[in-house]
Amino acid sequence: MGTWRNGSGRLTVEGPDGSGAGAVAAEPGAAESGAAESEAAESGAAEPVAVEIAASYGTRRRGLLGRDGIEGALLITPCNSVHTFRMRFAIDVAYLDKELRVIDVHTLKPGRLPLPRWKARHVLEAEAGAMERWGLRPGARITVNVQDVS
């Protein structure tokens, strides 16, 4: 993708071979037997996840500060490091290269400053545990479909 702009869209997780990496889990309590999760995993189709895109200086700087949570994820671009000072909740952080391939994934508690990932060009943030449910792991690739704002 050329130039990124602030906005929103949907992201989908693909495995290293281009197949669906896993499905987004259903609503809590909806599949107590796990049947819905296994059906989605067998089909290989991952549910799209809502994503906010932070591309300007102000939106990248603000990030998730001042929020009590996030539905979906926040894509920060360009970015190769984050912090969780003054955050109200734990987050999952995925470092992405220029082709949106996952370099590394970490769960960070509030008040942490991890080392920067020099090969990263983008960072994807979500509530703790979300990326595991989505099947997002190193080597996976994400696609982002940006919603038209016009």
Side-chain angles (χ1 to χ4, degrees), residues 81-113:
S81 67
V82 297
H83 68 82
T84 57
F85 297 120
R86 296 176 41 197
M87 293 280 296
R88 298 178 181 169
F89 56 99
I91 61 172
D92 284 345
V93 176
Y95 299 92
L96 311 171
D97 67 11
K98 62 184 177 183
E99 295 164 355
L100 299 178
R101 191 165 309 279
V102 178
I103 297 170
D104 206 357
V105 178
H106 288 284
T107 300
L108 300 175
K109 295 178 184 175
R112 303 289 192 246
L113 178 65

Side-chain angles (χ1 to χ4, degrees), residues 4 9 12 26 39 52 59 65 75 86 97 114 124 126 133 150:
W4 291 89
T12 309
E39 285 177 23
E52 295 176 38
T59 56
L65 293 175
L75 178 67
R86 296 176 41 197
D97 67 11
L124 187 68
R133 288 191 309 271
S150 30

